[in-house]
Amino acid sequence: MDWFALLLDSLCLIVGHGVMHMVFIGRLTGKQQKPWYFVAYLFLLGAVQLVSIRLSLNGTLSVAVGVLALNAISRFGMGNGRSVSWLAAVLSYYVSQLSFGIINSVEAALFPRFIGSPLLYLLLLAAQILFLMLCAGCYCAVLKLLAWTEDSQTPYIGLLLFPGLFFFAAELYILETAYSFFAPMVSLEEVGKHSTLLLLQVMGLAALLCTLYAYRQLCQGFRAQAELQSLTQAAHEQKVYIAEAQARYGQTKSFRHDIKNHLSVLDGLLKSGKLEEGREYLKKLEAVSESLSFPYQTGNPVVDILLGEKLGLAKEIGAEVSLVLPKPCGIDDFDLCVLFANALDNAIAACRANDGAKAIRISGKQQGDFYMLTFENTCSDGPLPPAGTGLSNIKAVVEKYHGALLTEKNGRQYYLSVLLNISDLQARYCGHH
């Protein structure tokens, strides 16, 4: 049966360890595998296996070498971080060893009674296939719970390393002490022992999956907390814009109310021949008028202040604003702040990341019952980063007003188009007023 055992060992080595380990690490870390990764890893596993057989060494040495090899390929070949590489290597071996141990528990309890029977070959082959299927299923479960990105879960990945090492060490101990050989006959005591080991290993798998689930929830909690802090800060800034716009509106209203008095004073100074005093008074009026004016006028004081402050802090970027918001608009000032603030922040960040020309153009026009806003800005040639909180906030406003959102990148130009349905809002606004 040596040839048959060699065939099963080769199948386990190539598919169960070599291919599955490499595919798992690549999928887990989101990195592309190269053919030489598989070749180098399989060659090393084969060499270690031969040395272990020749020197009658236990399997712990080959497992340790395999983990080190996977860590090295992940760290230096795929470019993953240190903690990520170690955890990926430990998890890949733990899952395969655990799957092997579960199948071994069944084999140890049932297969010895078939020793000497031709049926044993078929049972061993079936057990090997079940091992590969169980291993693949466990890998899929781990990937579903643990798939991460470099900017989200990776900073906390070290939290999983010690639980993973504990599960791994416990499984290795079980494999080395309980499944070294098969006795021709198995007593009820032995069946109970292997059934207990089977239960322990299933519980180990459940504990691993629960740990990964808790870790995922922890990371989602961290991200939600960060997003909440960002939204709270943005809401505070937008309330400041609204308060400042209301104050500016009140000052403008007062200035307009007093303009007749100012003109009367100026007329009196000119009629009395006090030209110098008249000039000084006129300069003061001009200064007050300029302090109340906006560099960009859209018909909404909140948006005017927001545009002035955001674009005023990015003087290195050329800006062009050509839009007039409808009156009555029906869109809440807070929602306008969310829309314009996030769109401008993204546009300014994209312009600053561009080495060439830096320009932002904002336009808007009403088309029947809809209002179309377009934000156009320069950007770099590289791919766009994944959608962040800013774009999510804009989408929330668009959905609130039953509109549509479209993003497009053409070379070094990026376009964000927002379509808002203002028909129902205008009717509701007019009905209340």
Side-chain angles (χ1 to χ4, degrees):
M1 201 173 79
D2 290 342
W3 63 269
F4 188 76
L6 181 61
L7 176 63
L8 291 183
D9 289 342
S10 301
L11 180 65
C12 177
L13 184 68
I14 296 174
V15 180
H17 289 170
V19 176
M20 284 190 175
H21 286 178
M22 296 305 304
V23 172
F24 172 73
I25 287 184
R27 294 282 181 86
L28 185 66
T29 60
K31 299 299 178 64
Q32 185 177 5
Q33 304 101 337
K34 297 180 181 179
W36 72 266
Y37 296 164
F38 293 91
V39 175
Y41 183 57
L42 287 173
F43 176 80
L44 181 61
L45 289 181
V48 172
Q49 190 74 8
L50 289 176
V51 172
S52 299
I53 294 174
R54 289 281 183 90
L55 301 179
S56 300
L57 301 175
N58 60 28
T60 304
L61 177 63
S62 60
V63 170
V65 173
V67 170
L68 291 175
L70 279 179
N71 172 68
I73 292 174
S74 177
R75 180 85 171 91
F76 303 106
M78 299 181 182
N80 294 314
R82 183 178 303 168
S83 297
V84 171
S85 299
W86 276 115
L87 181 66
V90 169
L91 281 179
S92 63
Y93 256 90
Y94 172 66
V95 169
S96 62
Q97 295 295 310
L98 180 65
S99 302
F100 187 71
I102 291 175
I103 298 300
N104 259 1
S105 294
V106 177
E107 290 181 347
L110 302 179
F111 286 15
R113 68 191 61 185
F114 294 99
I115 292 177
S117 170
L119 186 60
L120 181 62
Y121 294 95
L122 183 61
L123 291 175
L124 289 174
L125 180 60
Q128 193 70 27
I129 295 174
L130 286 176
F131 156 69
L132 296 176
M133 293 174 61
L134 178 62
C135 191
C138 292
Y139 280 138
C140 290
V142 172
L143 288 174
K144 187 176 181 180
L145 292 172
L146 191 60
W148 64 68
T149 56
E150 288 292 336
D151 59 342
S152 60
Q153 297 182 4
T154 303
Y156 317 109
I157 203 67
L159 297 174
L160 285 177
L161 191 54
F162 287 104
L165 285 173
F166 171 76
F167 292 139
F168 186 36
E171 182 60 30
L172 276 181
Y173 178 79
I174 291 175
L175 290 179
E176 289 298 323
T177 57
Y179 303 114
S180 57
F181 63 91
F182 284 164
M185 297 297 294
V186 178
S187 64
L188 290 177
E189 182 181 354
E190 286 293 316
V191 172
K193 170 187 172 183
H194 292 303
S195 299
T196 302
L197 291 175
L198 174 62
L199 179 61
L200 288 175
Q201 291 175 100
V202 171
M203 290 176 62
L205 175 61
L208 171 67
L209 297 180
C210 289
T211 302
L212 297 182
Y213 177 79
Y215 173 77
R216 187 182 68 173
Q217 296 300 109
L218 175 67
C219 293
Q220 290 177 352
F222 284 142
R223 287 198 298 272
Q225 184 179 10
E227 291 177 1
L228 179 61
Q229 291 176 349
S230 176
L231 289 174
T232 302
Q233 179 65 25
H236 175 72
E237 293 176 356
Q238 288 152 13
K239 289 180 180 178
V240 170
Y241 287 133
I242 294 174
E244 186 175 345
Q246 291 172 343
R248 188 78 68 89
Y249 179 77
Q251 293 172 357
T252 304
K253 188 176 181 180
S254 299
F255 180 77
R256 288 178 178 176
H257 180 269
D258 295 336
I259 192 66
K260 291 183 179 180
N261 297 329
H262 292 307
L263 291 177
S264 297
V265 172
L266 185 61
D267 182 62
L269 290 173
L270 293 176
K271 285 182 178 179
S272 61
K274 298 180 179 180
L275 299 181
E276 192 62 33
E277 288 84 347
R279 290 192 185 95
E280 291 296 326
Y281 196 84
L282 184 60
K283 288 180 180 179
K284 292 180 181 179
L285 289 179
E286 289 177 351
V288 174
S289 176
E290 288 179 359
S291 67
L292 296 175
S293 63
F294 302 100
Y296 305 100
Q297 298 182 1
T298 67
N300 185 292
V302 174
V303 176
D304 294 345
I305 290 177
L306 192 149
L307 289 173
E309 291 196 5
K310 292 283 186 182
L311 297 176
L313 295 175
K315 296 181 179 179
E316 76 278 11
I317 301 174
E320 178 185 349
V321 179
S322 57
L323 67 93
V324 176
L325 294 170
K327 292 182 179 180
C329 181
I331 303 176
D332 188 77
D333 286 341
F334 186 84
D335 294 329
L336 285 174
C337 277
V338 171
L339 198 158
F340 277 88
N342 286 284
L344 283 172
D345 287 341
N346 291 344
I348 291 171
C351 286
R352 286 174 172 168
N354 181 28
D355 296 332
K358 306 178 189 297
I360 295 175
R361 184 176 184 274
I362 305 172
S363 60
K365 60 181 178 179
Q366 185 171 351
Q367 300 174 342
D369 294 336
F370 295 89
Y371 193 81
M372 171 69 80
L373 277 170
T374 302
F375 299 85
E376 177 184 351
N377 60 269
T378 54
C379 59
S380 61
D381 283 330
L384 292 174
T389 305
L391 195 58
S392 299
N393 294 339
I394 296 174
K395 286 181 179 179
V397 173
V398 170
E399 291 173 357
K400 178 179 178 180
Y401 293 93
H402 309 290
L405 176 68
L406 177 66
T407 59
E408 181 183 1
K409 184 177 183 296
N410 186 7
R412 287 179 174 265
Q413 293 294 123
Y414 177 79
Y415 302 89
L416 170 65
S417 299
V418 175
L419 184 66
L420 301 174
N421 186 344
I422 60 175
S423 58
D424 294 339
L425 297 169
Q426 286 183 334
R428 193 186 316 138
Y429 184 91
C430 294
H432 289 317
H433 291 75

